[in-house]
Amino acid sequence: SATGVIKCRAAVAWEPSKPLVMEEIEVAPPQAHEIRIKIVATGVCHTDLYHLFEGKHKDGFPCVLGHEGAGIVESVGSEVTKFNPGDKVIPLFISQCGQCRFCKSPKTNLCEKGWYDVMSESDTRFTCKGKKVLQFMGTSTFSEYTVVNEIAVAKIHPSAPLDKVCLLGCGVATGYGAALNTAKVEPGSTCAVFGLGAVGLAAVMGCKNAGAKRIIAIDINPTKYEKAKVFGATEFVNPKDHNKPISQVLHEMTNGGVDFSLECVGSVAVMRSALESCVKGWGVSVLVGWTDMDDFAARPIQLIAGRTWKGSLFGGFKSKDGVPKLVNEYLEKKVKLDEFVTHNMTLAQVNDAIQLMQTGDCIRSVLSVALQ
Ligand code: NAD
Ligand code: ZN
């Protein structure tokens, strides 16, 4: 059971748009139904950058970012019966309480009990220099230790390599599930994926595993095409090479539009292009990229003519059920993870990893956090 307060290292985001600072923080013992986790590895996702640089929640500071990690249970609070110290786990930014009306419905992976966007001082177990430090997305994997409610922790296979399966805590599960669970890509279909970061490449992998015949990969950074080929992309389009709308280019390439499109950039303009790239009658376009700053727009005829526009959070996976299965699929070599990792660094190098993502020079940087 839980011992006392742990002092450990964490990368603290004191204020928006500033570099993270390595600090010693205090991590409180887990309370009832909570689990204290030693984080072994974490990926850096664009949503961390979004909160740091773009999000409008300027009150969400100071905080510890990171929501794509994996680790080992250090101790458990009272009432926790399904986890033990030493278990390998992935913290989840969407909970699955199993009790609420969302958890009871097969139609959604949302959960009423926890919500990725709520960060309150009473919910954090972190303090630094006498100040409460918020836990971004309830997870905070840029810390050697974190505390998460058991409804937002997945126990995974004991032989899972944590420096790879951490990517199933966000990016890879998100893109892969968006293709399989949300778009429901069909065998023989033609797909378009906009944005070839880890999320988009995982969407490409989902389209391929669903049996898509053509997978058109779109990015303004042509250095991403080589990787997209590895995951199953069959064609590549750089919007910068064309002086007409990208949707028109895709209509011409596909005799009227693609069956499925996935937006993995986080731009309302690209969301519109992705919708307009779909074929009328049955085309489905999925929003995966993250933004909550601007309204999106499209002409109503796009939907009246039979297209469907939908969104996907965490790939539509019910988190506690889905993540351990994805880990097993990786161990069975049905899902790729190693190919997403372009850089291995330490937590102290987190600002370099953030910069690599800003300049588009990485797919995923995986940071080693605490020693195993
Ligand atoms: P990333 O920065 O690694 O990748 C984004 C890619 O988009 C880059 O390769 C970039 O060159 C490309 N791009 C930029 N502008 C473009 C344009 N106009 N047309 C085509 N490509 C363009 O980011 P990531 O970590 O892969 O995340 C992608 C998006 O998914 C982000 O918005 C992130 O916040 C979001 N996200 C959503 C969820 C969810 O649950 N819905 C979860 C995780 C991440
Ligand atoms: Zn993420």
Side-chain angles (χ1 to χ4, degrees):
S1 73
T3 48
V5 169
I6 287 181
K7 288 187 179 180
C8 71
R9 306 280 293 162
V12 176
W14 287 107
E15 45 184 325
S17 303
K18 293 280 163 60
L20 310 187
V21 185
M22 290 303 294
E23 304 277 12
E24 184 179 84
I25 66 162
E26 283 117 53
V27 181
Q31 301 181 5
H33 294 290
E34 294 179 350
I35 299 173
R36 190 157 59 186
I37 302 166
K38 175 157 87 168
I39 299 293
V40 172
T42 181
V44 178
C45 169
H46 208 114
T47 310
D48 298 310
L49 276 67
Y50 178 82
H51 184 76
L52 187 60
F53 297 106
E54 296 164 62
K56 57 184 168 190
H57 311 288
K58 297 297 182 211
D59 48 352
F61 293 87
C63 70
V64 174
L65 296 168
H67 61 281
E68 195 177 80
I72 296 170
V73 174
E74 178 269 337
S75 60
V76 299
S78 62
E79 319 290 331
V80 175
T81 57
K82 296 203 170 99
F83 294 84
N84 289 299
D87 287 347
K88 285 189 178 176
V89 291
I90 291 181
L92 306 163
F93 67 85
I94 305 190
S95 55
Q96 186 185 349
C97 74
Q99 308 288 314
C100 72
R101 64 185 176 122
F102 294 111
C103 281
K104 282 183 175 154
S105 166
K107 294 180 182 174
T108 181
N109 63 342
L110 303 187
C111 170
E112 226 163 40
K113 295 278 168 59
W115 183 240
Y116 62 93
D117 211 16
V118 174
M119 296 193 287
S120 70
E121 289 203 3
S122 59
D123 288 338
T124 183
R125 302 289 168 258
F126 294 169
T127 359
C128 182
K129 297 177 175 162
K131 263 191 150 171
K132 286 271 188 190
V133 175
L134 303 174
Q135 288 184 235
F136 178 61
M137 284 179 139
T139 52
S140 288
T141 58
F142 295 168
S143 173
E144 291 176 325
Y145 289 87
T146 189
V147 177
V148 181
N149 193 292
E150 64 177 334
I151 62 174
V153 181
K155 192 198 292 203
I156 59 169
H157 198 286
S159 70
L162 299 176
D163 60 344
K164 302 295 188 301
V165 298
C166 60
L167 301 184
L168 293 170
C170 183
V172 176
T174 294
Y176 189 65
L180 290 172
N181 303 327
T182 314
K184 300 191 199 302
V185 168
E186 293 164 0
S189 60
T190 296
C191 302
V193 176
F194 291 74
L196 305 173
V199 174
L201 293 172
V204 169
M205 177 166 74
C207 294
K208 164 142 183 156
N209 287 10
K213 189 163 134 219
R214 294 177 70 186
I215 304 170
I216 306 170
I218 301 136
D219 202 298
I220 52 172
N221 179 349
T223 68
K224 310 268 179 160
Y225 302 155
E226 240 4 86
K227 275 283 176 187
K229 208 180 272 178
V230 171
F231 290 104
T234 59
E235 289 141 89
F236 308 91
V237 178
N238 186 345
K240 288 183 170 168
D241 291 344
H242 301 273
N243 51 17
K244 54 187 161 193
I246 190 71
S247 55
Q248 199 183 324
V249 174
L250 288 172
H251 276 260
E252 287 164 9
M253 286 171 70
T254 59
N255 188 29
V258 301
D259 301 306
F260 300 96
S261 70
L262 296 115
E263 199 275 1
C264 304
V265 177
S267 145
V268 293
V270 179
M271 289 170 183
R272 179 175 191 152
S273 300
L275 175 71
E276 292 174 349
S277 300
C278 285
V279 66
K280 65 186 177 191
W282 60 74
V284 174
S285 189
V286 178
L287 312 186
V288 191
W290 196 274
T291 183
D292 197 24
M293 304 287 282
D294 305 300
D295 294 347
F296 57 32
R299 291 287 169 85
I301 188 70
Q302 293 287 332
L303 302 187
I304 294 167
R307 296 177 187 85
T308 302
W309 215 2
K310 53 202 298 205
S312 185
L313 185 65
F314 196 55
F317 287 109
K318 286 194 183 276
S319 59
K320 269 175 88 99
D321 292 345
V323 167
K325 284 187 196 152
L326 286 167
V327 168
N328 294 345
E329 287 183 29
Y330 165 72
L331 294 173
E332 293 157 11
K333 302 204 188 311
K334 290 179 192 154
V335 166
K336 294 186 206 294
L337 292 178
D338 305 15
E339 291 79 355
F340 289 96
V341 182
T342 52
H343 298 75
N344 287 287
M345 303 189 220
T346 64
L347 178 60
Q349 293 169 298
V350 62
N351 290 310
D352 297 338
I354 288 173
Q355 204 185 341
L356 281 171
M357 179 163 268
Q358 281 179 307
T359 53
D361 292 317
C362 69
I363 300 298
R364 274 297 191 259
S365 301
V366 171
L367 313 177
S368 64
V369 184
L371 292 176
Q372 237 171 302

